Amino acid sequence: MANHRVVVVGAGFAGLQLVLDLKGAPVDITLIDRRNHHLFQPLLYQVATTLLATSEIAWPIRRLFRDRPEVKTVLGHVVGVDRQEKVVRLRDGSTIAYDTLVLATGARHAYFGHDQWEAFAPGLKTLEDATTIRRRVLLAFERAELEPDPEKRQALLTFAIIGGGPTGVELAGIIAELAHRTLVREFRSIDTRSARILLIEAGPRILPVFTPDLSEYGGRALDKLGVTVRTGVPVTDISADGVRIGEEFVPARTVLWAAGVQASRAAEWLGAPTDRAGRAIVERDLAVPGAPDIFVIGDTASVTTAEGKPVPGVAPAAKQQGAHVAKTIRSRLAGKPTPGPFAYRHQGNLATIGRSAAVVDFGWIKLKGAIAWWVWGIAHIYFLIGTRSRFAVAWSWLWIFMSGQHSARLITQKETLKEENGR
């Protein structure tokens, strides 16, 4: 008798945890992703800001499951789901049948109705995004070195980061360290310390998921690094020449987006109800309403806690959802009672601010400063996949901490270099 067919779309934290937890179950798993690697997104900004190499935070999916013969990996782009035929449709016209379908397709950038801004302010979700941002940041210094006009040079040395959450704060802090410490002795015509780094948050304070005292500390730490924090005023326009904050225009040739995300199109494939961010509204067991054989998890799903609060779109939540659905599938196949509603267990918030400062909020304890930075680092190293990656990242951080030198300051992909130089 054939095994139960489970199709998983998306090899992020949610999808990966699901497949890991189904080990030994009587299932045949097809794991579909548009990319051939699993990405550790919490450290993606460190690739964008020259601290880490891409290979240190990404792993080939096939390698992760090479010892799992029941897992088939497909490099493909899903474009739809036929709920009647119970098949997933791929862009190349092929279909893959399922008995249980799990959509864990993640999220993309949201520009709040201004999609034209994406060309001028890239977001940070993929390795391609990270290397694009790294190129733009490094090229800004290279082009400023050759620019004789003072006003144009200052625009090249102005970096605007939109969004004061953890990603925006982390980007601003590292770019400030890059300009004010790492690159100081390497250029001859410019003083990189004259670079201006702006962190723009439309809300009343940065790091809004943290308590006000930790948020205030984050602002002070950024100020010490030379970052100018602007809060309470939204961005109203972005162009190739700069960013408009309220009515004020700031010339800036490097603008980065860290302000919002929107779910993938998974809900459209299913005809499922959505929230304002496009996430599929699911039942308490993470199944699609009226379709118990289809689950939506991770950033693609709109999930609430028992208190009615939204479950945050963070890695621990995604992993917990993947584990919950794996338990549900196992229980169904064994004819046992299912685990019931998904219950999110909050594991805390962490954000780093530069080389030796961070904020940590575990609820029962709050930390800031150097000790929080060590806790943040240990936590992230622990969740990396494999001893080699943990050692490589730990060594890179130790080297940067001791020498102040970033190890991945490479401008690659010559076609993009031509495009940037022609702007």
Side-chain angles (χ1 to χ4, degrees):
M1 190 173 181
N3 283 339
H4 189 86
R5 299 170 299 181
V6 177
V7 173
V8 182
V9 184
F13 285 110
L16 190 71
Q17 190 65 52
L18 172 80
V19 176
L20 290 172
D21 285 8
L22 283 177
K23 184 176 183 179
V27 295
D28 289 325
I29 302 171
T30 301
L31 178 57
I32 309 170
D33 200 285
R34 290 188 295 175
R35 293 174 175 82
N36 79 329
H37 56 267
H38 168 72
L39 177 65
F40 191 79
Q41 280 196 346
L43 292 181
L44 189 58
Y45 79 95
Q46 296 210 354
V47 174
T49 52
T50 75
L51 269 70
L52 297 176
T54 56
S55 60
E56 293 175 320
I57 65 164
W59 305 269
I61 300 168
R62 293 186 183 277
R63 192 192 85 187
L64 296 177
F65 297 111
R66 61 186 175 186
D67 297 326
R68 297 274 303 276
E70 82 281 14
V71 179
K72 178 182 179 182
T73 300
V74 174
L75 182 66
H77 189 158
V78 173
V79 295
V81 175
D82 190 324
R83 292 171 57 172
Q84 298 300 319
E85 297 294 329
K86 298 191 73 169
V87 297
V88 171
R89 301 192 180 280
L90 304 184
R91 177 179 284 176
D92 63 6
S94 62
T95 60
I96 298 175
Y98 66 85
D99 296 313
T100 295
L101 173 63
V102 183
L103 299 177
T105 45
R108 50 201 166 104
H109 311 121
Y111 289 84
F112 309 119
H114 299 279
D115 291 346
Q116 71 275 14
W117 291 354
E118 185 172 10
F120 312 115
L124 187 58
K125 280 292 179 184
T126 67
L127 284 180
E128 293 89 345
D129 295 334
T131 54
T132 294
I133 290 173
R134 185 173 66 191
R135 283 193 300 271
R136 292 196 178 192
V137 170
L138 293 176
L139 279 170
F141 291 104
E142 297 293 343
R143 295 172 65 196
E145 175 81 349
L146 302 175
E147 178 56 64
D149 185 283
E151 291 187 2
K152 292 181 179 179
R153 186 188 310 126
Q154 188 57 59
L156 286 166
L157 292 176
T158 299
F159 302 85
I161 299 95
I162 302 169
T167 298
V169 167
E170 290 164 346
L171 281 170
I174 298 300
I175 292 174
E177 285 196 342
L178 187 69
H180 299 160
R181 297 179 183 176
T182 305
L183 300 179
V184 170
R185 297 172 57 193
E186 299 188 8
F187 288 83
R188 301 295 177 260
S189 299
I190 60 172
D191 182 355
T192 61
R193 290 170 294 189
S194 66
R196 184 185 183 194
I197 295 89
L198 295 175
L199 179 62
I200 307 161
E201 167 58 44
R205 61 187 178 95
I206 63 170
L207 298 174
V209 299
F210 291 82
T211 56
D213 60 319
L214 293 179
S215 175
E216 183 181 351
Y217 169 80
R220 293 198 306 269
L222 287 172
D223 183 65
K224 289 181 180 179
L225 289 173
V227 177
T228 301
V229 178
R230 298 283 300 272
T231 59
V233 183
V235 168
T236 54
D237 193 27
I238 305 173
S239 68
D241 296 319
V243 58
R244 188 171 296 279
I245 310 170
E247 297 299 322
E248 177 191 0
F249 180 76
V250 178
R253 297 302 299 272
T254 303
V255 182
L256 307 179
W257 186 263
V261 295
Q262 182 177 2
S264 69
R265 299 179 59 187
E268 297 179 26
W269 304 338
L270 303 172
T274 65
D275 63 9
R276 289 186 298 177
R279 295 176 294 228
I281 298 174
V282 296
E283 302 285 6
R284 292 296 305 280
D285 65 351
L286 306 178
V288 173
D293 58 337
I294 301 177
F295 296 90
V296 182
I297 57 178
D299 290 345
T300 317
S302 178
V303 187
T304 56
T305 64
E307 295 78 26
K309 296 180 180 180
V311 173
V314 294
K319 295 178 72 170
Q320 290 176 33
Q321 291 172 37
H324 182 86
V325 172
K327 291 179 182 178
T328 300
I329 294 172
R330 282 182 174 274
S331 298
R332 287 180 179 179
L333 294 177
K336 297 179 179 179
T338 59
F342 168 72
Y344 170 61
R345 300 179 305 280
H346 183 58
Q347 297 177 342
N349 295 312
L350 304 90
T352 183
I353 311 159
R355 184 170 54 170
S356 58
V359 289
V360 172
D361 184 356
F362 290 134
W364 54 276
I365 187 172
K366 298 176 178 63
L367 302 172
K368 56 188 178 183
I371 189 171
W373 185 84
W374 283 102
V375 171
W376 173 91
I378 292 169
H380 282 74
I381 288 173
Y382 174 79
F383 284 109
L384 289 168
I385 295 176
T387 302
R388 179 185 176 277
S389 296
R390 296 187 184 105
F391 178 81
V393 170
W395 171 250
S396 293
W397 286 348
L398 180 62
W399 173 255
I400 293 166
F401 185 81
M402 295 176 61
S403 69
Q405 294 299 308
H406 297 192
S407 58
R409 283 168 30 213
L410 303 178
I411 301 173
T412 57
Q413 299 189 7
K414 62 181 180 180
E415 61 273 13
T416 305
L417 180 62
K418 293 177 180 178
E419 176 186 338
E420 294 286 348
N421 280 332
R423 283 178 60 187

